[in-house]
Amino acid sequence: MTCVVITGASRGIGRATALLAAERGWSVLVNFRSDEAAAEETASLVRKRGGRPLIWRADVTREDDVRAMFDAAAAEFGPVSAAVVNAGIVAPASTLADMDIARLRRVFDVNVLGSYLCAREAARRIPLSRGGPGGAIVIVSSMAARLGSPFEYVDYAGAKAALDTLTVGLAKELAADGVRVNAVRPGLINTEIHASGGRPDRAQEMGAGSPIGRAGETSEVAEAIIWLLSANASYVTGTIMDIAGGR
Ligand code: NAP
């Protein structure tokens, strides 16, 4: 039985991944930081798909929270065999010249340190040599890592580039230890993250100008994440998959 920890699963891409995981019969830890009602909604949708969710509040930037989250998943479901390192934030659109230190710290804290802490916890528990069941990790990067996000979020773009590098290195560390590590780079996906950047319609507006002519849906990203986690991707590791409509 696959037991998957999904960070930032109260809405957006994390929620869609939780629902698809439940459809596959996997046990799902639904992590959130602040919006418990949204996490409850995810859990209710997971149950409707026959899944057994565990809702867990944890701030991925806090080492103790991350450890307790993986402990909780193992206590509820048995050994964790999969992790989706998904929680991430943007800050309001700005040029680098106008970003203050508090914003830069927060963006790097959540997106880089938070993701590294979650990937580290997975790397301490899933590998065969550590008594784990073996499995897979998927890290949620962004097309921003390749495009740079000028005039909007060069901080976020650089943070996501760090996750691409983490994916390549960690995949090599764990490849012979029963753990595959891959990443997805979503493009413009319809979620609430754009509102937090000050432009709720950003995905629809900019998606219309992408080669495929529209924004992506969370389910389209979730399909790739679940495939990368699944045994169908058994020879795939160290890969970073663009899910961006040709952008
Ligand atoms: P979203 O709808 O804003 O959801 C973000 C999730 O992350 C929420 O569940 C939120 O929970 C959680 N979160 C934020 N900070 C957290 C923290 N410190 N600890 C634990 N959870 C935290 O975002 P999304 O669009 O689904 O994005 C998911 C991932 O995809 C992010 O890494 C994002 O960078 C990436 N991505 C998104 C797009 C896009 O166009 N949407 C494109 C490329 C990459 P609470 O609300 O409870 O805090």
Side-chain angles (χ1 to χ4, degrees):
M1 163 68 85
T2 299
C3 162
V4 60
V5 171
I6 306 176
T7 67
S10 56
R11 56 173 190 263
I13 291 167
R15 172 184 283 180
T17 305
L19 301 194
L20 202 51
E23 284 174 17
R24 299 291 156 90
W26 299 356
S27 305
V28 186
L29 183 143
V30 174
N31 160 248
F32 71 104
R33 180 196 51 184
S34 55
D35 191 346
E36 188 163 6
E40 289 283 1
E41 176 65 19
T42 300
S44 144
L45 293 167
V46 163
R47 279 186 213 102
K48 281 187 184 143
R49 284 158 177 79
R52 265 197 323 141
L54 174 64
I55 302 171
W56 197 263
R57 185 193 295 269
D59 182 336
V60 295
T61 67
R62 298 172 64 97
E63 187 176 23
D64 290 351
D65 278 16
V66 171
R67 197 178 295 124
M69 173 171 66
F70 278 80
D71 281 346
E76 181 81 7
F77 301 127
V80 174
S81 54
V84 182
V85 179
N86 168 74
I89 59 163
V90 297
S94 168
T95 59
L96 177 62
D98 292 323
M99 291 179 192
D100 64 27
I101 185 74
R103 172 216 171 102
L104 288 168
R105 284 220 166 92
R106 183 79 192 134
V107 166
F108 282 96
D109 212 27
V110 175
N111 293 309
V112 182
L113 185 66
S115 297
Y116 267 71
L117 287 176
C118 292
R120 186 186 70 172
E121 205 55 40
R124 287 177 168 176
R125 295 169 187 250
I126 304 177
L128 300 173
S129 68
R130 290 175 179 263
I137 300 168
V138 171
I139 294 170
V140 180
S141 173
S142 170
M143 280 304 286
R146 294 184 57 192
L147 299 171
S149 300
F151 308 106
E152 292 191 294
Y153 334 108
V154 293
D155 50 352
Y156 169 84
K160 291 296 189 178
L163 301 190
D164 288 0
T165 304
L166 168 64
T167 301
V168 172
L170 188 60
K172 289 173 179 164
E173 285 189 3
L174 299 181
D177 210 354
V179 186
R180 296 178 299 99
V181 183
N182 294 288
V184 292
R185 281 195 205 105
L188 296 155
I189 311 300
N190 274 320
T191 74
E192 292 170 40
I193 202 171
H194 306 286
S196 56
R199 202 173 151 192
D201 298 329
R202 178 175 176 271
Q204 292 94 318
E205 287 169 7
M206 292 175 68
S210 69
I212 214 164
R214 63 172 175 85
E217 300 302 329
T218 55
S219 58
E220 295 177 293
V221 183
E223 286 285 353
I225 293 172
I226 293 295
W227 179 76
L228 286 167
L229 288 180
S230 76
N232 292 335
S234 53
Y235 200 56
V236 181
T237 197
T239 289
I240 304 170
M241 189 189 289
D242 292 347
I243 305 167
R247 199 157 172 251

